[in-house]
Amino acid sequence: MVNQTNHPPPTPAAPTATQQQQQQPTLIGQRRAGGDAAFREKLAQMALPLAPLVQLTTGAVHPAFPGTLLSFWLLTDAELEQLAHFYHQRTPCRWTYHYPCPVPWSSDVPLEEKRRRIGRFIGLRGCESPVLAVAAAPVSEDDAAAQAIRDEARAARLRNDEEEIWRRKLRWYN
């Protein structure tokens, strides 16, 4: 016999939280960020917003101006050239040195050098000009001995000069 009652058909049980989590796809970045604190910190750092710099003559912001630190690191060579031109750095004019941190611009330098210069121009830390380390020439024993003699002679000359100064100052009292 067929059941003739007016009962609705049974509904399936609602999925549990773990079943929903397994069904939803996760982004790779979220999975990695969930386990690595350094990766989460780097993502947060790359998401830092950058304050836009306005052009002195029009007050406009260049469309390619990076909105975040990540966008800055993704700028192409052409975009860097456009930014330098827009903000009067590529072709020096009367406005070039009115910006807070003008930079010397050259189109024939590598991409990373252009990025460093634009970073310095917009005020990013760590984009200062690199200091070139000059390798010290090897010192021979003769050179070291000669340098020691020069240093000793210089010290003796300074002592004699100082004594002479005091003699002149105190000659009335001796």
Side-chain angles (χ1 to χ4, degrees):
M1 285 200 68
V2 177
N3 187 357
Q4 298 283 329
T5 61
N6 290 335
H7 293 288
T11 58
T16 64
T18 54
Q19 289 173 341
Q20 286 178 348
Q21 192 176 32
Q22 289 172 352
Q23 291 172 356
Q24 293 177 350
T26 59
L27 298 174
I28 292 174
Q30 290 174 336
R31 280 189 301 193
R32 282 190 185 157
D36 189 10
F39 184 70
R40 281 193 313 268
E41 183 180 337
K42 183 52 87 173
L43 283 178
Q45 184 184 31
M46 289 293 127
L48 289 174
L50 298 178
L53 187 64
V54 297
Q55 187 183 44
L56 288 176
T57 54
T58 64
V61 176
H62 192 277
F65 192 90
T68 63
L69 197 56
L70 178 62
S71 300
F72 167 75
W73 286 106
L74 296 176
L75 288 172
T76 64
D77 188 76
E79 289 171 328
L80 291 167
E81 288 286 336
Q82 290 171 3
L83 285 167
H85 180 72
F86 185 79
Y87 293 109
H88 307 105
Q89 300 302 300
R90 187 171 66 184
T91 51
C93 66
R94 66 184 184 148
W95 300 107
T96 301
Y97 296 101
H98 289 278
Y99 287 95
C101 192
V103 292
W105 192 261
S106 177
S107 294
D108 59 347
V109 296
L111 174 67
E112 292 307 314
E113 177 67 15
K114 290 178 184 178
R115 184 172 285 122
R116 185 191 62 75
R117 288 182 184 180
I118 288 291
R120 181 171 182 264
F121 177 72
I122 65 174
L124 292 179
R125 281 188 275 170
C127 293
E128 294 81 20
S129 298
V131 178
L132 298 176
V134 178
V139 179
S140 67
E141 288 182 29
D142 292 337
D143 291 339
Q147 183 63 37
I149 292 171
R150 283 193 294 271
D151 290 344
E152 188 178 322
R154 187 177 306 116
R157 202 170 42 251
L158 290 173
R159 277 193 308 271
N160 287 340
D161 290 347
E162 187 175 342
E163 287 175 11
E164 178 64 29
I165 290 170
W166 283 109
R167 258 190 301 242
R168 284 191 220 145
K169 286 183 177 181
L170 299 176
R171 74 179 170 152
W172 300 104
Y173 299 107
N174 287 338

